[in-house]
């Protein structure tokens, strides 16, 4: 596991925890690493929830498919990020979502029950780990609130602008790159991809924004941000 310490130290989960302490925690959490190819299922809807995942390399998609085959994108998780942690803390026994590798990915799995309860020695750094996890959950809650705000807008246009203005604000620039391709963005905003693409074209024709693939520029940000 030593070869992954540099990555682990960049993760919010191990903030303020030393390398030696991380190695001890990995033993305590029954850590194991698995490699997944592009498009391979990492976790499947309905599986028993026994582990949380930390992305060491690559990217994964957390999503839920509807009865009619429509896909709702919950999150995209990249290097250093976590998935299934909120579900573990909620003590949900079965996964209500699926997780898929967007590219070849190395995933560190941590035993969720061992994470939720400190070990018998009651290590200070294990308590720090739990504290870090609570901060991560708070951040995830804010992100979920943002998504709810976007998808609660009445039209595809309003949903798009709500999301893009937030991205501009987060990057402190009218030029920014979003973490989604077109289909992923449509799934995230719960809209039809074709309708969304049409709205993007209209917004560009109206001089409100310009874009190329995942790179966007808001031209009339001040006038339209509200």
């Amino acid at each position: 596991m030593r070869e992954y310490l540099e990555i682990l130290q960049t993760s919010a989960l191990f903030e303020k925890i030393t390398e030696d302490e991380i190695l001890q925690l990995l033993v305590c959490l029954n850590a194991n690493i698995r490699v997944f190819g592009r498009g391979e299922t990492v976790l499947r809807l309905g599986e028993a929830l026994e582990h949380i995942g930390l992305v060491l390399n690559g990217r994964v998609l957390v999503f839920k498919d509807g009865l009619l085959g429509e896909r709702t994108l919950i999150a995209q998780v990249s290097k250093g990020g976590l998935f299934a942690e909120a579900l573990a803390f909620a003590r949900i026994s079965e996964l209500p979502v699926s997780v898929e590798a967007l590219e070849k990915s190395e995933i560190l799995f941590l035993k969720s029950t061992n994470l939720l309860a400190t070990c018998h020695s009651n290590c200070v750094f294990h308590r720090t780990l739990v504290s870090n996890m609570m901060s991560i959950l708070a951040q995830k809650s804010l992100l979920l609130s943002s998504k709810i705000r976007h998808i609660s807008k009445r039209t595809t246009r309003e949903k798009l602008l709500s999301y893009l203005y937030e991205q501009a604000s987060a990057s402190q620039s009218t030029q920014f790159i979003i973490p989604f391709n077109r289909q992923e963005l449509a799934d995230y905003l719960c809209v039809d991809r074709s309708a969304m693409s049409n709205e993007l074209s209209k917004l560009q024709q109206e001089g409100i924004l310009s874009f190329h693939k995942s790179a966007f520029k808001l031209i009339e940000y001040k006038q339209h941000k509200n």
Side-chain angles (χ1 to χ4, degrees), residues 41-194:
T41 298
V42 179
L43 295 175
R44 193 181 304 276
L45 175 73
E47 283 185 357
L49 179 57
E50 298 179 346
H51 300 84
I52 69 168
L54 190 154
V55 181
L56 296 172
N57 282 297
R59 293 179 302 148
V60 302
L61 199 65
V62 183
F63 65 93
K64 187 169 185 178
D65 287 332
L67 294 176
L68 301 178
E70 72 279 13
R71 174 168 291 189
T72 299
L73 175 59
I74 309 300
Q76 184 181 129
V77 186
S78 54
K79 189 174 181 178
L82 295 170
F83 57 88
E85 75 287 0
L87 301 175
F89 265 70
R91 300 187 184 279
I92 294 175
S93 58
E94 294 183 357
L95 278 167
V97 298
S98 295
V99 182
E100 180 181 289
L102 284 172
E103 55 192 60
K104 182 178 179 181
S105 302
E106 292 180 279
I107 308 297
L108 175 70
F109 288 100
L110 306 171
K111 187 76 171 178
S112 57
T113 52
N114 293 13
L115 176 63
L116 295 174
T118 57
C119 55
H120 296 302
S121 54
N122 200 26
C123 309
V124 172
F125 50 82
H126 199 143
R127 295 201 298 272
T128 302
L129 184 82
V130 174
S131 177
N132 289 345
M133 179 61 79
M134 298 307 294
S135 296
I136 291 169
L137 292 175
Q139 292 290 334
K140 290 283 181 78
S141 177
L142 291 174
L143 291 174
L144 180 59
S145 295
S146 293
K147 177 174 180 175
I148 292 172
R149 185 172 67 254
H150 303 325
I151 66 176
S152 66
K153 303 296 183 183
R154 292 178 60 87
T155 66
T156 297
R157 182 189 184 98
E158 291 173 339
K159 292 177 182 181
L160 270 170
L161 290 175
S162 176
Y163 173 74
L164 293 174
Y165 291 144
E166 182 186 70
Q167 293 299 300
S169 178
S171 62
Q172 298 185 334
S173 172
T174 56
Q175 299 184 60
F176 51 89
I177 297 175
I178 67 172
F180 304 128
N181 61 31
R182 289 291 180 273
Q183 186 60 61
E184 291 164 356
L185 179 58
D187 291 340
Y188 178 79
L189 294 175
C190 301
V191 298
D192 177 75
R193 177 179 174 173
S194 296

Side-chain angles (χ1 to χ4, degrees), residues 4-15 22 79-81:
Y4 296 101
L5 280 173
E6 185 175 348
I7 298 172
L8 293 175
Q9 286 188 306
T10 66
S11 173
L13 182 62
F14 295 105
E15 186 177 354
I22 290 174
K79 189 174 181 178

